[in-house]
Amino acid sequence: MNENDIHKRKGSHSDGIIHTTDSSVKQNKEKDKAAVLQKDVDLVSGISLIVGTMIGSGIFISPKAVLEGTGAVGPCLCVWAACGVLAALVCLSCPILVITTHASLPPSKVLTTIVNCLSVKLAKYVQIFFTVAKLLIIVIIVISGMVLLAQGNTQNFANAFEGTTSFGAIGLSFYNGLWAYDGWNQLNFITEELKDPYRNLPLAIITGIPLVSVCYVLVNVAYFTVMTPAELLQSSAVAVTFGDRVLYPLSWVVPLFVVFSTFGAANGSCFTSGRLIYVAGREGHMVKLLSYISLKYYTPAPALIFNGILSIFYIIPADINTLINYFSFAQWVFYGLTAFSLILMRFTKKHLHRPVKVPIIIPVVVVVVACYLVLAPIIDKPELEYLYCTIFILGGMIFYFLFVYHKFSCTQRIMKLISMYLQLLMEVVPAEEVE
């Protein structure tokens, strides 16, 4: 299609959209596939997506911050276990959670964006491979720790609760622990592409999250078998320090597999966050172009590219702990609101069909915990950055009202023109309706 095609279509398409019924895109029918997202994600892929996205850089970075927040080995291990329970509860109570997450380094995000734009199956196989790789290094660390524990290296577990910090500081430790667990909600975003979602979604959740929880607690136990709390706090990379002390001369495998783990998490978050933006565009919460599908690859290419661009802005703060704290603050505001809306709809929308239903006590617990995680760090250590984060969240409403909610004629004309040219450039079309 060239520029002349655009002018021809302006007369026949008042909405400024090139649809799949046009002659230039009817070749798509030869493949016997509708221009929609395909159901290519099975149970194994779903579990690997949850596990592979949850296990990223967090377990190799966050132990230091969690210990700093709790102040002692005992509450530190309790927080890691509690984060796993909390992740499972929130995942079950927020099946349609709408929040954009995860940020990674620009080179890996660009590469994962390309992979996910090219093929759903390729992204799935990449995810499975890196999930196996990261589980391998977890197993190596855990087995090493268990051997050392059996040899009598238990001195760091004596008086495990001595020196516990304040109630509010423990809230910040939850931020860092839950950062390592982040990814538990990723499968919820792609139920449209999940085979037999009513069966496989809850099954993947109850398999993946407990598996990661056990791994995380055991990995932290392994860390404390070779490092005192003071040594762990002084370490710039806990897993690397562990490898240098236990796995030498093969300690080089630890940073290598940490890279594998981080890339796998970036790939999983790119896959799922792109679908979240795609649905937001389809439902009218964002510009329509973001809900278009690639004719060639059947992937939500515009949404994936937009997500990649956003990720670059997310990492502007150079300090990883600053990013985790303020990201987690914003995240738990939305988690609490989502769980609260679920409680409200149980009473106001009783007639709705609920194929996946959980006891109402679960979202109630999530709301209470979310209130604590949002308010406790602010009360314990008030900082202006929390206000900036709130303003940033509310600032999104400005763009929503200007470009989505209010149909200003000038912005509509500009967006139609931009949408048409971008649609031609990326070869994307609105998703077809399938019976």
Side-chain angles (χ1 to χ4, degrees):
M1 286 182 280
N2 53 34
E3 190 172 347
N4 291 330
D5 293 324
I6 296 176
H7 294 295
K8 290 177 182 178
R9 294 180 192 285
K10 284 182 180 177
S12 59
H13 298 281
S14 59
D15 58 357
I17 299 173
I18 303 171
H19 296 274
T20 53
T21 54
D22 296 319
S23 59
S24 56
V25 294
K26 280 186 177 178
Q27 297 173 356
N28 181 61
K29 300 296 185 179
E30 297 175 3
K31 300 179 182 180
D32 293 324
K33 282 187 178 181
V36 294
L37 299 179
Q38 308 296 313
K39 287 186 175 293
D40 290 328
V41 182
D42 54 18
L43 178 60
V44 174
S45 302
I47 294 174
S48 70
L49 186 64
I50 291 178
V51 175
T53 309
M54 288 177 71
I55 304 178
S57 61
I59 188 58
F60 310 108
I61 295 175
S62 297
K64 176 179 176 179
V66 174
L67 178 61
E68 189 175 20
T70 55
V73 174
C76 177
L77 295 177
C78 290
V79 165
W80 280 106
C83 285
V85 174
L86 183 56
L89 293 180
V90 182
C91 192
L92 291 172
S93 62
C94 302
I96 51 171
L97 183 62
V98 179
I99 180 174
T100 303
T101 61
H102 219 281
S104 57
L105 296 179
S108 64
K109 183 56 92 173
V110 171
L111 182 57
T112 56
T113 299
I114 293 172
V115 168
N116 281 272
C117 285
L118 289 178
S119 170
V120 172
K121 288 187 177 180
L122 176 60
K124 180 178 70 173
Y125 294 142
V126 167
Q127 188 64 29
I128 292 174
F129 172 80
F130 283 102
T131 298
V132 172
K134 67 183 65 184
L135 285 176
L136 178 60
I137 191 61
I138 292 289
V139 169
I140 291 174
I141 292 175
V142 168
I143 292 177
S144 301
M146 294 302 102
V147 171
L148 291 170
L149 202 62
Q151 292 174 348
N153 292 275
T154 60
Q155 61 274 13
N156 293 329
F157 299 97
N159 302 318
F161 288 86
E162 185 177 335
T164 304
T165 57
S166 67
F167 192 65
I170 291 178
L172 284 175
S173 71
F174 267 97
Y175 276 0
N176 288 275
L178 289 166
W179 166 265
Y181 278 96
D182 187 54
W184 48 262
N185 54 358
Q186 301 297 294
L187 193 62
N188 296 348
F189 299 158
I190 62 163
T191 52
E192 207 170 312
E193 297 168 82
L194 184 65
K195 297 176 181 177
D196 194 5
Y198 298 151
R199 170 186 176 271
N200 289 338
L201 177 62
L203 192 57
I205 290 172
I206 63 176
T207 303
I209 296 180
L211 173 62
V212 174
S213 302
V214 171
C215 288
Y216 279 5
V217 172
L218 293 179
V219 164
N220 277 275
V221 170
Y223 289 156
F224 286 118
T225 60
V226 297
M227 285 178 278
T228 66
E231 289 173 333
L232 193 145
L233 290 174
Q234 292 171 359
S235 173
S236 57
V238 179
V240 174
T241 302
F242 179 91
D244 289 339
R245 296 189 180 186
V246 178
L247 302 177
Y248 184 83
L250 297 176
S251 57
W252 57 268
V253 303
V254 174
L256 175 63
F257 277 85
V258 169
V259 172
F260 287 169
S261 180
T262 304
F263 185 84
N267 180 72
S269 67
C270 180
F271 185 95
T272 55
S273 296
R275 271 63 180 179
L276 183 62
I277 295 172
Y278 160 80
V279 173
R282 187 177 65 186
E283 298 298 318
H285 301 149
M286 300 183 76
V287 294
K288 254 330 187 194
L289 179 67
L290 296 176
S291 67
Y292 290 0
I293 300 292
S294 169
L295 272 173
K296 187 174 182 180
Y297 302 114
Y298 303 98
T299 59
L304 289 167
I305 294 170
F306 180 72
N307 178 64
I309 294 172
L310 281 181
S311 298
I312 296 175
F313 288 100
Y314 289 161
I315 62 164
I316 290 177
D319 181 17
I320 183 64
N321 289 324
T322 300
L323 176 64
I324 291 173
N325 288 344
Y326 302 130
F327 164 83
S328 300
F329 169 79
Q331 190 179 43
W332 279 94
V333 169
F334 283 99
Y335 289 168
L337 290 174
T338 304
F340 182 68
S341 67
L342 181 63
I343 297 172
L344 286 181
M345 287 191 292
R346 283 288 179 90
F347 298 97
T348 60
K349 304 287 184 180
K350 295 182 179 180
H351 63 283
L352 291 180
H353 176 57
R354 292 177 170 86
V356 179
K357 189 175 181 179
V358 296
I360 197 169
I361 187 63
I362 293 181
V364 170
V365 171
V366 171
V367 171
V368 173
V369 173
C371 290
Y372 163 69
L373 290 176
V374 170
L375 297 177
I378 299 176
I379 296 172
D380 184 73
K381 189 180 179 182
E383 294 180 351
L384 281 175
E385 283 79 359
Y386 291 113
L387 177 62
Y388 298 153
C389 187
T390 303
I391 294 173
F392 181 78
I393 294 172
L394 296 177
M397 297 178 65
I398 298 175
F399 294 94
Y400 174 74
F401 281 110
L402 282 178
F403 296 101
V404 178
Y405 186 77
H406 285 293
K407 309 295 183 182
F408 295 114
S409 58
C410 58
T411 57
Q412 289 297 306
R413 286 197 298 270
I414 294 172
M415 289 306 299
K416 284 180 181 179
L417 187 61
I418 292 174
S419 295
M420 276 198 296
Y421 277 101
L422 288 177
Q423 192 178 350
L424 291 170
L425 177 65
M426 292 186 287
E427 296 184 348
V428 293
V429 294
E432 295 183 47
E433 293 185 4
V434 180
E435 296 294 334

